[in-house]
Each structure stands twice: as structure tokens, then as C-alpha cells.
């Protein structure tokens, strides 16, 4: 089951209608029903974004408690070398039991990326939440974006159905999309980035695209204000993706465009290898979910321990999504030797593939982190400034792992603030090369299955 594309039912409906009769988007935009839908989206944006904010804060608190406070509480000055082993073993047991026994199997598998699918039923939301907290909070190498999309869409539909039982399927799909926009946009740093992500992931198009995006953008804009207000009110700190303080980048040159080709090809090879590992392992894990998910968790812990033992850097570089660790990596990149960075790439990449095969979470942030680390490694070679290498690495790895090239360009550009516009041409070249090469490397789909098809689509819950 896939829960990452809440607008997919509407997309399928729009496609069927497009063959039957043209859609008068302008008339719908002027209708009173659409105005009411916009008001509903604005109302939904606030509580869903607040729920997303506290979910992200809870994940951060769990990580800090498990790897900092708990070791001190049992008598260690810092977490000992073996500490990730029991934590990720416990994570595997909890996630395995959730997948095996709770409705919805804890949400969609991150191996599937952001494929279209249905909104989780209300009874499935506890399983999605538990699997996400057990995965992310205990150190699994996945991000929070996929659970946020599922929870945001599911909570939005639940809120509407509490006030009105007979919600039309099309309205429910747009409301779910708005909830997902609100939940994910502040995390990615911009409502526009969230719009690109969900637009590409859901496969929406044609005259109905704007009709679906407007409620989502409205909910996301209000949600961003909620994130800012809650941050100031609680003092817990921001949870959005941001990397300030990077050195300025003037403009690209011919040598850097050559590096864009190289980085695109390398990202396609690395990302395809990670995806192959996750795809190959998943069927075996699903046969003995609880046992093998725990074994995979122990393997992820072993990679983190090996990295710490060899490089002396903390195992947090390998564990977790990389969201909180990305800024320090970029700002302190000079403190990592080339050997340490290569070890980081190997351990993080393997841990990423293992985590995707078994646990629940999103693929975005580990891809950002691995792409940035790869860019730092290559910046030690002539003709490639660090900022350009990082931007191209981030964009190319995101394009491979998400298969969403527009979103990849947007993420890499917005992440680098003032440098983003200057480096955008290089990012575009690297993303296009990575996207095309990875498509050539991917297994061929049967002719009857359209690209990106996730199988039968489950209708919205009633």
C-alpha cells in the first residue's frame, strides 16, 4: 500500500473525465463550491501544520533522549560504541510488529518512493505514526517527509468527515492533498517546494492542476505561519530544511559544467545501487517481518559503529535522516578527510538502502545528505568549488532517489539560499543527466504498466 500520493484519486478521475469531456476550470474556479473549498483548506492548514510541527519535534526529542540522555542516565558519559545495536534492534521489533499486526502495514514502503496511492484510512493512522516514530526516533536512515504526507492527508480527511459524513470523493481527495501540502511544506522550507513535490508525485496535469494546487498552496502558506509561530511560542527550535552560512558562489564556468556531467552519472550509479539493495532485500524481509527487520536494524547499527571506529567521527553521521546533520557537515566539511568522507558515503549509502528495505520513513533527507557528502569529496579535485559540488550532488541524488527532477532542482536551489540562483544552471544539468542515466539503469517495466504506476489505486476511505 502506498500513502504518499493523496491527490492520486483526483488525478485518475481527472484523466477519465479528460477523455469524456473538457473540464471548464475557469467555471469551477468562480463557483461558490470552490470558494468554500478554499476556506476549508485554510482552516485545515493550521491544525495539520501544528500536528506536523509537534511530530517533528517529538522525533528530534526521541533521538536526543535515546542517544544522549539515556546513556547518561544509565551511567555513561556519552553513548558507548555498541549503543546503536540494542536501539536499532528494538526499532526493528517495533516496526516489524506494526507492519505485521496493525492495519495499513505502518504506511508505504520507502522503496516505492513518492508513487501515487490512496489516503490512509483513519484506522491506519496509528500504525503510520508508530512505525514512523519507531523508525526515525531510534536512528533509522530515513526522513520524516513520507509519514508527514500520509498523516497530513489522513488527518485532513478525518477532520472533514467528522463534520460531514457524505464527503464527495473528489472533495476528499483535494482536502487530503491540502493536508499533505500543509504538513510537508514548512519542513521543505517553502510551500512552493511542497507544491512541486506533490505535483510531480501525484502525476496531476491538465486544466484541473491549478484547481488542486490552489487549496494546497493556501493550506501550506498558513501552515508555514503556524510553524513560525509555534517555534517562537515554544522555543523548541526550527524544523525546516535550511543551510545558512555557506561561502558565496559567483558564477559557473565551463569546467563546472563538465563536472555536472560527471556528478550526474556518478549519482545515477550510486543511487541505483542503493535502490537495488533495498528492492532486492524487501521481499526477503517481508517473509519474516519482525525477525528480519530487527536484523536489518542491527546491520544499520553495525555500519554506524564501523564508521565511528574507523574515522573517529560520531555515529550520528550515519544514523538518522541527515536533516539535522546536513548543516554541520557542510559548515565543517574541511574537518573531514577524504578517507572519512568516502567511509561516510559507503556506510550511509548502505544504511540508507537497508533502512528502505524494511523500515518506514521517507527517502528525501538521506538523499540530500549523501549527495552533499559526495559533492564535498569531489570538491577536493581541481575545478570544482565546494558549493557547486554540494548543490549538484544534492540535486542529482534527489533526482535518482525520488525520480522527481523538478523537485530535485527546487530543493537544491532553495537549500543554498543566495548561492542557489547562481548555481542553478549546474544543478539542472546534473539533475537531467542523473535522471536520464538512472532511467536507463532501472529495470524495464512491462508494457502494460505505465511508468510510475504503483498498481491498483485504493479509493478514499468512506
Amino acid at each position: 500500500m502506498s500513502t504518499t500520493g493523496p491527490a492520486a484519486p483526483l488525478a485518475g478521475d481527472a484523466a477519465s473525465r479528460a477523455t469524456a469531456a473538457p473540464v471548464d476550470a475557469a467555471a469551477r474556479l468562480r463557483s461558490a463550491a470552490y470558494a468554500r473549498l478554499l476556506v476549508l483548506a485554510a482552516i485545515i492548514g493550521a491544525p495539520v501544520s501544528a500536528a506536523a510541527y509537534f511530530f517533528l519535534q517529538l522525533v528530534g526529542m526521541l533521538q536526543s533522549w535515546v542517544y544522549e540522555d539515556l546513556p547518561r542516565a544509565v551511567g555513561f558519559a556519552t553513548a558507548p560504541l555498541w549503543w546503536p545495536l540494542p536501539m536499532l534492534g528494538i526499532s526493528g521489533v517495533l516496526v516489524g510488529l506494526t507492519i505485521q499486526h496493525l492495519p495499513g502495514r505502518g504506511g508505504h514502503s520507502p522503496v516505492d518512493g513518492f508513487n501515487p496511492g490512496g489516503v490512509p484510512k483513519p484506522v491506519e493512522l496509528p500504525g503510520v505514526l508508530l512505525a514512523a516514530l519507531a523508525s526515525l526516533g531510534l536512528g533509522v536512515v530515513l526522513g520524516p517527509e513520507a509519514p508527514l504526507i500520509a498523516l497530513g492527508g489522513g488527518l485532513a480527511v478525518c477532520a472533514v468527515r467528522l463534520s460531514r459524513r457524505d464527503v464527495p470523493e473528489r472533495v476528499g481527495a483535494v482536502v487530503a492533498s491540502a493536508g499533505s501540502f500543509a504538513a510537508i511544506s514548512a519542513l521543505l522550507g517553502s510551500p512552493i517546494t511542497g507544491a512541486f513535490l506533490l505535483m510531480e508525485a501525484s502525476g496531476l496535469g491538465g486544466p484541473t492542476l491549478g484547481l488542486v494546487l490552489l487549496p494546497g498552496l493556501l493550506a501550506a502558506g498558513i501552515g508555514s505561519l503556524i510553524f513560525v509561530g509555534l517555534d517562537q511560542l515554544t522555543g523548541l527550535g526550527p524544523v525546516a530544511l535550511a543551510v545558512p552560512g555557506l561561502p558565496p558562489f559567483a558564477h559557473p564556468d565551463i569546467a563546472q559544467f563538465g563536472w555536472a556531467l560527471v556528478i550526474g552519472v556518478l549519482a545515477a550509479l550510486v543511487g541505483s545501487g542503493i535502490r537495488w539493495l533495498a528492492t532486492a532485500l524487501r521481499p526477503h524481509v517481508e517473509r519474516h517481518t519482525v525477525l528480519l527487520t530487527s536484523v536489518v536494524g542491527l546491520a544499520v547499527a553495525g555500519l554506524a559503529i564501523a564508521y565511528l571506529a574507523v574515522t573517529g567521527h560520531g555515529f550520528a553521521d550515519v544514523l538518522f535522516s541527515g536533516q539535522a546533520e546536513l548543516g554541520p557537515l557542510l559548515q565543517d566539511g574541511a574537518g573531514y578527510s577524504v578517507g572519512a568522507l568516502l567511509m561516510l558515503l559507503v556506510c550511509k549509502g548502505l544504511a540508507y538502502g537497508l533502512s528502505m528495505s524494511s523500515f518506514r520513513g521517507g527517502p528525501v533527507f538521506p538523499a540530500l545528505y549523501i549527495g552533499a557528502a559526495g559533492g564535498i569529496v569531489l570538491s577536493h579535485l581541481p575545478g570544482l568549488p565546494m558549493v557547486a559540488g554540494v548543490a549538484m550532488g544534492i540535486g542529482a541524488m534527489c533526482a535518482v532517489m525520488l525520480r522527481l527532477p523538478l523537485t530535485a532542482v527546487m530543493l537544491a536551489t532553495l537549500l543554498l539560499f543566495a548561492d542557489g540562483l547562481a548555481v542553478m544552471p549546474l544543478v539542472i544539468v546534473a539533475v537531467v543527466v542523473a535522471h536520464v542515466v538512472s532511467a536507463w539503469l532501472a529495470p524495464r517495466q512491462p508494457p502494460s504498466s505505465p511508468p510510475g504506476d504503483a498498481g491498483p489505486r485504493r479509493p478514499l476511505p468512506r
Side-chain angles (χ1 to χ4, degrees), residues 371-372 375 386-396 408 412-413 416 419 423-424 427 430-431:
M386 188 193 80
V387 170
V390 165
M392 290 187 284
I394 287 173
T413 301
L416 300 179
D419 294 331
V423 81
M424 183 187 286
V427 173
V431 163

Side-chain angles (χ1 to χ4, degrees), residues 353-450:
L354 290 170
S355 298
M356 285 201 300
S357 73
S358 311
F359 290 89
R360 295 297 184 257
V364 173
F365 288 96
L368 294 175
Y369 191 90
I370 292 171
I376 296 174
V377 170
L378 294 176
S379 69
H380 287 80
L381 298 173
L384 183 63
M386 188 193 80
V387 170
V390 165
M392 290 187 284
I394 287 173
M397 277 299 298
C398 282
V400 176
M401 299 309 299
L402 308 184
R403 295 173 178 168
L404 306 175
L406 295 180
T407 301
V409 172
M410 181 72 72
L411 279 170
T413 301
L414 294 181
L415 184 65
L416 300 179
F417 286 93
D419 294 331
L421 291 177
V423 81
M424 183 187 286
L426 300 174
V427 173
I428 291 172
V429 174
V431 163
V432 170
V433 171
H435 189 59
V436 172
V437 173
S438 65
W440 278 96
L441 294 174
R444 298 292 185 266
Q445 293 186 355
S448 59
S449 298

Side-chain angles (χ1 to χ4, degrees), residues 5-11 13 37 40-41 44 117-120 149-150 152-161 164-180 212 215 458-462:
L10 182 58
D13 183 68
L37 183 61
L40 180 60
I44 286 172
V119 180
I149 290 173
L155 288 174
V157 172
C158 287
V160 173
R161 294 190 186 279
R164 178 183 174 186
R165 290 182 175 274
D166 57 335
V167 180
E169 184 172 333
R170 289 178 59 83
V171 173
V174 176
V175 167
S177 178
S180 295
V212 178
R458 182 161 54 79
L460 282 168
R462 297 202 174 273

Side-chain angles (χ1 to χ4, degrees), residues 38-369:
L38 289 176
V39 173
L40 180 60
I43 295 172
I44 286 172
V48 169
S49 295
Y53 176 86
F54 287 111
F55 168 77
L56 292 170
Q57 292 291 355
L58 179 57
V59 169
M61 290 177 181
L62 276 174
Q63 292 174 350
S64 177
W65 181 77
V66 169
Y67 286 92
E68 297 176 13
D69 298 339
L70 185 57
R72 287 195 293 265
V74 296
F76 297 103
T78 59
L81 184 66
W82 50 264
W83 190 260
L85 286 170
M87 299 302 107
L88 285 160
I90 293 170
S91 175
V93 171
L94 293 175
V95 174
L97 290 173
T98 301
I99 293 171
Q100 187 164 306
H101 296 292
L102 292 186
R105 296 183 59 80
H108 93 299
S109 171
V111 177
D112 297 325
F114 288 99
N115 288 325
V119 180
K121 297 178 181 179
V123 71
E124 296 172 355
L125 293 180
V128 173
L129 178 62
L130 178 58
L133 290 176
S135 295
L136 308 178
L138 296 181
V140 170
V141 187
L142 292 170
E145 64 282 350
L148 277 181
I149 290 173
L151 291 169
L155 288 174
V157 172
C158 287
V160 173
R161 294 190 186 279
L162 285 175
S163 61
R164 178 183 174 186
R165 290 182 175 274
D166 57 335
V167 180
E169 184 172 333
R170 289 178 59 83
V171 173
V174 176
V175 167
S177 178
S180 295
F181 270 48
I184 194 66
S185 293
L187 172 67
L188 297 179
S190 167
I192 299 297
T193 311
F196 266 78
L197 174 66
L198 295 181
M199 178 182 69
E200 282 196 283
S202 63
L204 293 171
T208 59
L209 175 59
L211 295 175
V212 178
L213 286 184
L214 278 180
L217 285 172
L218 179 60
I222 292 174
S224 296
L225 295 177
I226 296 298
F227 264 59
V228 173
L230 287 174
D231 179 35
Q232 294 178 346
L233 180 66
T234 64
L236 295 175
V239 292
L241 178 63
V243 184
L246 294 177
F249 179 80
H251 56 79
D253 57 28
I254 298 299
Q256 292 161 21
F257 276 102
W259 273 113
L261 301 176
V262 173
I263 290 174
V265 172
L266 290 176
L269 295 172
V270 173
S272 297
I274 292 171
R275 187 183 299 281
W276 174 86
L277 173 62
T279 304
L281 284 178
R282 180 170 64 173
H284 301 287
V285 174
E286 289 177 344
R287 294 191 189 103
H288 306 281
T289 304
V290 178
L291 173 63
L292 292 185
T293 302
S294 303
V295 171
V296 170
L298 294 175
V300 172
L303 289 166
I305 292 170
Y307 171 77
L308 173 60
V310 172
T311 68
H313 293 283
F315 45 58
D317 288 353
V318 174
L319 300 180
F320 313 121
S321 69
Q323 178 189 356
E325 293 78 23
L326 181 58
L329 174 68
L330 297 183
Q331 293 165 356
D332 303 331
Y336 288 76
S337 67
V338 173
L341 289 169
L342 290 173
M343 185 72 177
L344 173 59
L345 284 172
V346 171
C347 293
K348 188 81 170 182
L350 290 173
Y352 183 22
L354 290 170
S355 298
M356 285 201 300
S357 73
S358 311
F359 290 89
R360 295 297 184 257
V364 173
F365 288 96
L368 294 175
Y369 191 90

